[in-house]
Amino acid sequence: MKAAELTRVGPAEEVVVCKDVPDAPAPGKGEATIELIACSINPADILGIEGNYASIPEVPSPLGIEGAGRVTAVGDGVKDLAVGDLAMSLHRANWSQQLTLPAAQLVKLPATIDPEQAAMMKVNAATALLMLQKYVKLKPGDWVIQNAANSGVGTDVIKLARRLDLHTVNVVRRKELIRPMHDMGANIVVLEGPDLAERVASATNGAEIRLGLDAVAGNAVQDMAECLAPGGTIVNYGLLSGDPCVIDPHQVVFRDITLTGFWLAKLMRGMSKKKIQELYGDLSGYFVDGTLKVAVEARYGLDDIQQAMAHAKREGRGGKVLLRPNG
């Protein structure tokens, strides 16, 4: 069968190749085999491949944080999965035609979910929902502010917040993004830049904002802190600026602003199987009922993995780039 492999750390479009590898083995006790229908290419994949993520990967190594497909075989003792079920993989090397995994690393999906959408559920949607739920106890009508609002996580935040009856302030870099953000349900959309706090206060009529979601780091953290009510929390989950988080002592000492970090992989390591199943059960429902839907710009086979990597790195894309390992 075919699978993607990292040959060395470097530019993703150069160092990821498609290789012929041994077929997935028959499942043993407590295991299941899945045929991958779709796999997403995420910014975290690219960062890892290029040596800019949490750790430097070993090489050669398989790749791919997200994938979903259909169960083709189950081993003894597997009760929650059957041949023909759709499933999402919790494994972190999914860019392959088939995988045999412990059944605990597969999440059974509703038969009505679009497998391509399921292949984009594990990271962004879970990050958005958990950040809205974990750090500040929000109630209907409360406000949330986020930057990089047009990102994959950002658009999921907008859609989930609307479903949960929360209001969003969305900071973007380009004027042409304002209308699309409103069209998908954003309440307020503002451009980054000077006097952000004053402009946000004016747009929200001085609403109390207790939660900020930051994907940029650098000076954007200070800008967000100035928008929050005293005692507010900023959750940093990205480093788009490439700079350290900046927040001055006035915000921390006198206004009691908290800065904390979110990393889905670390959080999930501490979650029980039941909690993980519940999380993705909730998210599956949002994909099935249309609350969440992710645009797809392009699909590639594994043979075209280098073109897919180059496409996934383009700025200004209109949707995700997917791999279709089996055509």
Side-chain angles (χ1 to χ4, degrees), residues 70-240:
R70 196 170 299 278
V71 176
T72 59
V74 296
D76 292 341
V78 176
K79 299 179 179 179
D80 298 333
L81 293 169
V83 172
D85 284 345
L86 287 173
M88 185 194 76
S89 169
L90 298 176
H91 188 54
R92 291 184 67 84
N94 294 295
W95 296 350
S96 176
Q97 290 187 297
Q98 292 185 339
L99 290 169
T100 295
L101 300 170
Q105 290 192 27
L106 295 169
V107 176
K108 183 178 177 179
L109 300 171
T112 51
I113 198 168
D114 180 342
E116 287 194 340
Q117 294 295 311
M120 298 181 284
M121 180 171 69
K122 176 183 171 184
V123 176
N124 288 347
T127 296
L129 184 59
L130 288 169
M131 290 196 302
L132 288 172
Q133 293 178 335
K134 178 176 171 59
Y135 298 94
V136 176
K137 188 173 182 179
L138 299 171
K139 60 184 186 299
D142 281 350
W143 286 83
V144 177
I145 186 170
Q146 65 168 342
N147 52 33
N150 61 309
S151 67
V153 172
T155 55
D156 283 347
V157 166
I158 291 169
K159 296 167 187 176
L160 287 169
R162 187 177 180 87
R163 174 64 182 269
L164 299 171
D165 198 20
L166 303 172
H167 302 311
T168 56
V169 176
N170 302 275
V171 183
V172 296
R173 296 177 62 187
R174 305 191 306 276
K175 186 176 181 179
E176 60 268 25
L177 294 171
I178 294 176
R179 181 177 292 275
M181 295 291 98
H182 281 304
D183 289 346
M184 74 174 61
N187 299 98
I188 303 296
V189 186
V190 294
L191 291 174
E192 68 178 20
D195 304 319
L196 179 66
E198 289 83 355
R199 290 184 285 119
V200 168
S202 175
T204 62
N205 294 317
E208 180 184 72
I209 305 175
R210 295 184 295 124
L211 178 63
L213 308 178
D214 168 59
V216 178
N219 291 320
V221 177
Q222 174 67 19
D223 293 341
M224 184 170 285
E226 293 172 356
C227 296
L228 294 184
T233 297
I234 298 174
V235 182
N236 169 258
Y237 69 98
L239 57 155
L240 292 175

Side-chain angles (χ1 to χ4, degrees), residues 40-50 63-66 92 95:
S40 176
I41 302 174
N42 280 293
D45 289 306
I46 303 296
L47 288 170
I49 289 164
E50 299 189 344
L63 293 165
I65 294 170
E66 288 188 303
R92 291 184 67 84
W95 296 350

